Amino acid sequence: FGLAKLEPMGGPSSAESTNLQLTGDGRVVGTASYMSPEQAAGKHVDARSDVFSLGIVLYEMATGERPFTGDSHAAVISSILRDTPKGANERNARVPPLLARLIRTCLHKDAERRYQSVKDVRNELQTLKEDLDSGDLAAYHVPAAPGRQRALWLAIVALAVVVLSVAAYSMFGNKG
């Protein structure tokens, strides 16, 4: 998710370490299936690129499929740059529309239209979990899922909230 750094043999305290970032402008490094459009194109990446990658993971969790596919790394990158995946709730009818919208926002090609940080995604997921817990999603005409399916979605949303909370805390500490 853009957090990778290359450390010299001397360890992180070495003066060289500040100049050895693995990711950056003009470099295409990473797993093709999880790259943002800007990363795949070798452009400037920031926290919104990580939001896109997280959107891919959430899409996979919700549907069991990757949103961008191809027979080679180049084909996957091409798909990321040009294709708009089907909505998560089109691939899996049991995905609540609000979760599908959250995932769609994470996967927006225009970084300005994505969530601006993982904290924003975490907050939306927490609200969605609260709505699922309280039963408020019935007001949004979410088709009733069998108890087992509802429990699965609660677990997925809860897991995503925990992962994002840990990631946000790791990245921002007590600053936010």
Side-chain angles (χ1 to χ4, degrees), residues 9-174:
M9 296 288 283
S13 62
S14 170
E16 296 174 43
S17 67
T18 57
N19 296 323
L20 293 175
Q21 288 191 338
L22 186 56
T23 57
D25 292 352
R27 289 182 247 162
V28 180
V29 177
T31 304
S33 298
Y34 298 94
M35 287 184 181
S36 67
E38 57 272 18
Q39 185 178 6
K43 297 179 180 176
H44 174 75
V45 296
D46 57 23
R48 298 169 300 182
S49 188
D50 289 342
V51 169
F52 189 91
S53 299
L54 175 64
I56 293 172
V57 172
L58 292 174
Y59 190 96
E60 283 186 275
M61 289 172 66
T63 67
E65 300 176 25
R66 288 188 175 162
F68 306 102
T69 59
D71 294 336
S72 66
H73 291 307
V76 171
I77 289 172
S78 177
S79 178
I80 289 168
L81 292 171
R82 74 172 195 285
D83 297 340
T84 300
K86 286 186 178 182
N89 57 346
E90 292 177 61
R91 294 237 187 227
N92 181 349
R94 291 200 166 105
V95 173
L98 293 177
L99 179 58
R101 182 182 57 83
L102 179 144
I103 293 168
R104 186 174 51 249
T105 301
C106 289
L107 293 177
H108 207 287
K109 303 265 189 236
D110 180 357
E112 290 293 323
R113 297 198 47 203
R114 281 183 220 140
Y115 294 103
Q116 300 300 292
S117 75
V118 292
K119 282 184 174 183
D120 295 336
V121 178
R122 180 200 59 198
N123 292 341
E124 287 289 323
L125 284 168
Q126 284 177 326
T127 300
L128 179 57
K129 181 182 181 306
E130 291 164 3
D131 289 347
L132 280 168
D133 287 343
S134 70
D136 285 350
L137 280 183
Y140 299 108
H141 307 291
V142 175
R148 199 170 192 187
Q149 288 294 330
R150 185 173 186 278
L152 174 65
W153 288 115
L154 280 171
I156 288 172
V157 171
L159 176 63
V161 168
V162 169
V163 168
L164 288 174
S165 295
V166 169
Y169 183 79
S170 297
M171 289 180 1
F172 303 110
N174 291 324

